Amino acid sequence: MLMRVEDGHARPKLLSKAAVEKTAPDIRLDLAASVPLIARDSFVAETANRIEQLNATVRLMSRDLGNISGRVADLEAIADQERRLQSFQKGDRRSKDAKLDELVRGCRDLKSRLDRIEGRSAGDFHAYNSFEAVSRKLGELDGFRDEAKSLERTLKLRAWLLCAAVSASAVVLVMATALAT
């Protein structure tokens, strides 16, 4: 049996299918010398040929098995990658669903708060369903704010005048009391 060394490992030499067909006993016997063979020699030669054929078949099958095992390993790697992708997609979908549920919950909470505020204010807030209506209302509120600021300034001025008048009258009373004594 021929052996060859590849990468430090001794492996039997693989034969092609054509080589296996060449090792058939009828071809081998025709190439032998034409001397009368005794039954034992014929049996030994035939058995040797069959063993060689079996060895060649085993080598071919081991090569095919190696190819198949490589393909199976590739398929297992692809399946593993698909499982990881599927688990990632599941986790991503769960995360998105959780965020969406949280957002919906927050919107419901805000809506319930707004409904409670609307109930207390007795205003017609359903009329503000467009940006134009909201902008108009904000303009009106800005006018009220400006008016409130001018009123605040007027009240501050009057408060300072009142303080000045009270201070002046207090000074006059203190001087009148000091002079009367």
Side-chain angles (χ1 to χ4, degrees):
M1 183 186 299
L2 295 175
M3 302 287 272
R4 65 179 177 184
V5 177
E6 290 179 0
D7 302 326
H9 295 80
R11 289 179 27 195
K13 183 178 177 185
L14 296 178
L15 298 176
S16 66
K17 289 184 181 183
V20 171
E21 291 172 358
K22 284 184 179 180
T23 59
D26 54 341
I27 295 172
R28 301 292 297 244
L29 291 177
D30 290 342
L31 297 176
S34 58
V35 287
L37 298 174
I38 53 176
R40 187 185 70 177
D41 290 340
S42 166
F43 174 75
V44 169
E46 196 174 300
T47 306
N49 284 335
R50 290 190 189 258
I51 289 173
E52 285 179 22
Q53 287 176 346
L54 286 175
N55 284 338
T57 305
V58 166
R59 281 188 223 111
L60 286 173
M61 287 182 164
S62 67
R63 182 180 64 192
D64 290 344
L65 182 64
N67 290 340
I68 289 172
S69 66
R71 289 179 186 167
V72 167
D74 291 343
L75 289 174
E76 285 176 345
I78 290 170
D80 189 41
Q81 185 178 9
E82 287 294 323
R83 278 191 294 266
R84 286 193 310 264
L85 177 64
Q86 187 178 19
S87 67
F88 170 76
Q89 287 174 341
K90 253 186 214 176
D92 190 37
R93 190 175 325 121
R94 286 181 190 151
S95 173
K96 286 179 182 178
D97 290 344
K99 287 178 183 177
L100 183 62
D101 289 343
E102 186 177 333
L103 182 65
V104 167
R105 196 176 314 113
C107 288
R108 286 182 183 154
D109 182 46
L110 287 174
K111 185 181 180 317
S112 67
R113 285 179 173 176
L114 184 62
D115 289 342
R116 281 184 274 163
I117 291 171
E118 283 180 359
R120 282 187 258 156
S121 63
D124 184 24
F125 295 104
H126 299 289
Y128 305 111
N129 55 5
S130 69
F131 288 118
E132 185 178 316
V134 171
S135 177
R136 192 175 330 115
K137 186 62 176 181
L138 288 174
E140 290 175 18
L141 292 174
D142 281 342
F144 291 135
R145 184 181 55 179
D146 294 341
E147 195 175 310
K149 282 184 180 180
S150 66
L151 184 62
E152 181 184 6
R153 274 184 256 136
T154 306
L155 286 176
K156 279 184 182 178
L157 179 64
R158 288 184 181 175
W160 280 108
L161 286 175
L162 178 66
C163 282
V166 169
S167 298
S169 61
V171 168
V172 169
L173 282 176
V174 169
M175 287 174 99
T177 330
L179 288 178
T181 50

